[in-house]
């Protein structure tokens, strides 16, 4: 049984990935500092899979602790690195926190991965590296554009750090997965997205509004040059996204990668407008949503959806769950945590 380290494994995408890894027979060790998660997630994971992963509460900015951890776990065969701060707006207010956290944790982890017998590394990247791409759908060949936020910049710099490290360390094999918009929850509703405070992202804002925690959703902008005037995104079910990590890891473990740094878009290939997401929610939940049109939000691109052929052909991965599935699961999760 191969041992895999998942940093940030109690977070939204991390926890779903741990479940899929365990389902595929991997032994999982989680590192999480609980800065944006809780130990209840560990219980949720165990109740889905029947297996409790090893867990250590380590702040990956503490270099000595990271070194100690890897001294104890020399038999790790792969690392999936999620641990990072991820709120775009907050990153504009607290740039140094974002650079310090997201880059140091990456550097200290990567340094140790190089020393392992099997140096396999999966990095949690983002479609934010493309900015407003000129052509839709976005291929991996689209130029990386100047970042719109310190958060986005940490993803770009992160990829560069890994690429440069791969260049001089041929034994290191890395894949960057560029996610589009992850939404939804595990169908069991035992794990899901739990934003702290007011949600910044569309789907948790919708489900919290429907659950009565928020009065009204503001739709940011209805004068964009799109069919209904609202922005278009590629919403991907978190379970499909989690499975992409397992497939990418297996590619590295089986030595199937053709270069020691590869990147893949992870999306559905389908663009949906904000109004389409709202209509989908109303249809699958059977309830109407309170929303108003508000001014555009700073930094939003008009449209972003993925060209998925590279992931389909090379990784052999394809999103199978629909927007309906994702919204239904997000609502199921929201109702479960609010006792509705
Ligand atoms: N939106 C609203 N009202 C809200 C929240 C969002 O209308 O209350 C709209 C946004 O304006 C946007 C769409 O819903 O048009 C999606 O917004 P999200 O905040 O859910 O997602 P983003 O596309 O802005 O952000 C995602 C990830 C980030 C990543 C970014 C890169 O959450 O981690 O893509 O573009 F950096």
């Amino acid at each position: 049984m191969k041992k895999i380290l998942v940093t940030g494994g109690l977070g939204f995408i991390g926890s779903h990935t741990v479940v899929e890894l365990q389902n595929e027979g991997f032994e999982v060790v989680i590192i999480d500092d609980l800065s944006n998660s809780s130990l209840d997630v560990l219980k949720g994971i165990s109740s889905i899979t029947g297996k409790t992963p090893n867990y250590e509460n380590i702040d990956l900015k503490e270099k000595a602790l990271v070194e100690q951890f890897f001294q104890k776990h020399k038999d790790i065969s792969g690392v999936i690195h999620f641990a990072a701060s991820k709120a775009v707006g907050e990153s504009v207010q607290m740039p140094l926190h974002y650079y310090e956290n997201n880059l140091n944790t990456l550097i200290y982890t990567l340094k140790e991965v190089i020393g392992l017998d099997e140096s396999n590394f999966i990095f949690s990247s983002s479609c934010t590296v493309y900015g407003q791409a000129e052509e839709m759908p976005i291929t991996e060949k689209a130029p990386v554009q100047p970042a719109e936020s310190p958060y986005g910049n940490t993803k770009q710099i992160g990829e560069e750090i890994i690429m440069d490290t791969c260049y001089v360390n041929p034994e290191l094999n890395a894949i960057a997965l560029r996610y589009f918009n992850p939404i939804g929850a595990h169908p069991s509703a035992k794990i899901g997205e739990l934003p702290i405070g007011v949600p910044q992202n569309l789907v948790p804002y919708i489900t919290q509004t429907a659950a009565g925690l928020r009065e009204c959703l503001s739709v940011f902008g209805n004068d964009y040059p799109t069919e209904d005037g609202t922005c278009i995104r590629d919403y991907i079910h978190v379970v499909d996204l989690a499975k992409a990590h397992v497939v990418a890891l297996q590619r590295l473990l089986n030595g199937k990668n053709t270069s020691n740094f590869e990147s893949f878009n992870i999306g559905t290939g389908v663009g949906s407008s904000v109004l389409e997401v709202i209509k989908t929610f109303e249809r699958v939940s059977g309830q109407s949503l309170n929303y108003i049109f508000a001014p555009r939000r700073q930094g939003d691109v008009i449209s972003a959806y993925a060209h998925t052929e590279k992931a389909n052909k090379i990784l052999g991965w394809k999103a199978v769950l629909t927007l309906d599935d994702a919204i239904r699961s997000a609502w199921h999760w929201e109702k479960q945590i609010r006792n509705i």
Side-chain angles (χ1 to χ4, degrees), residues 86 88 126-128 151-152 180-182 199-203 205 217-220 231-233 235 274 297 300-301:
K86 61 164 189 176
V88 178
S126 168
C127 68
T128 191
Y151 160 77
F180 282 67
N181 286 54
Q200 304 297 311
N201 298 115
L202 179 63
V203 172
Y205 208 105
L217 169 79
S218 294
V219 174
F220 298 135
C231 291
I232 291 176
R233 296 286 183 277
Y235 295 92
V274 176
R297 180 173 72 176
D300 272 341
V301 297

Side-chain angles (χ1 to χ4, degrees), residues 98-319:
Y98 272 70
Y99 289 117
E100 182 183 31
N101 193 39
N102 293 4
L103 299 182
N104 285 336
T105 57
L106 170 65
I107 291 165
Y108 299 156
T109 306
L110 205 51
K111 270 190 168 172
E112 299 306 315
V113 172
I114 292 166
L116 294 171
D117 288 342
E118 290 183 273
S119 298
N120 297 312
F121 192 76
I122 309 286
F123 181 59
S124 172
S125 189
S126 168
C127 68
T128 191
V129 301
Y130 299 118
Q132 178 58 72
E134 288 197 353
E135 279 175 36
M136 290 297 137
I138 305 173
T139 73
E140 289 80 355
K141 292 204 175 99
V144 166
Q145 308 238 37
E148 297 276 351
S149 68
Y151 160 77
N153 210 14
T154 65
K155 293 298 174 190
Q156 291 189 4
I157 298 170
E159 284 200 19
E160 285 168 5
I161 289 172
I162 300 165
M163 228 182 300
D164 291 346
T165 311
C166 281
Y167 184 69
V168 289
N169 293 278
E171 74 283 10
L172 173 64
N173 291 291
I175 291 180
L177 297 180
R178 295 173 174 167
Y179 318 150
F180 282 67
N181 286 54
I183 60 163
H186 194 267
S188 66
K190 291 179 194 290
I191 53 173
E193 191 171 9
L194 198 52
I196 291 173
V198 180
Q200 304 297 311
N201 298 115
L202 179 63
V203 172
Y205 208 105
I206 289 178
T207 55
Q208 288 199 8
T209 305
L213 274 81
R214 315 274 154 213
E215 213 160 283
C216 181
L217 169 79
S218 294
V219 174
F220 298 135
N222 62 344
D223 57 351
Y224 282 100
T226 62
E227 212 155 286
D228 63 23
T230 64
C231 291
I232 291 176
R233 296 286 183 277
D234 183 338
Y235 295 92
I236 171 149
H237 196 303
V238 66
V239 171
D240 273 335
L241 174 58
K243 288 181 177 166
H245 291 80
V246 179
V247 171
L249 178 72
Q250 278 162 338
R251 177 174 173 80
L252 297 184
L253 290 170
N254 296 329
K256 294 273 195 275
N257 49 324
T258 50
S259 131
N260 74 331
F261 178 82
E262 297 176 320
S263 57
F264 295 94
N265 285 345
I266 303 296
T268 64
V270 178
S272 306
S273 73
V274 176
L275 284 179
E276 279 169 339
V277 175
I278 293 173
K279 296 284 169 270
T280 304
F281 175 80
E282 291 184 324
R283 183 163 39 74
V284 302
S285 70
Q287 70 183 77
S288 65
L289 189 80
N290 200 12
Y291 69 90
I292 50 162
F293 291 114
R296 292 180 177 195
R297 180 173 72 176
Q298 214 191 342
D300 272 341
V301 297
I302 304 162
S303 179
Y305 55 97
H307 202 292
T308 58
E309 196 179 290
K310 189 176 175 195
N312 297 166
K313 284 210 170 131
I314 298 178
L315 280 184
W317 169 91
K318 198 175 184 355

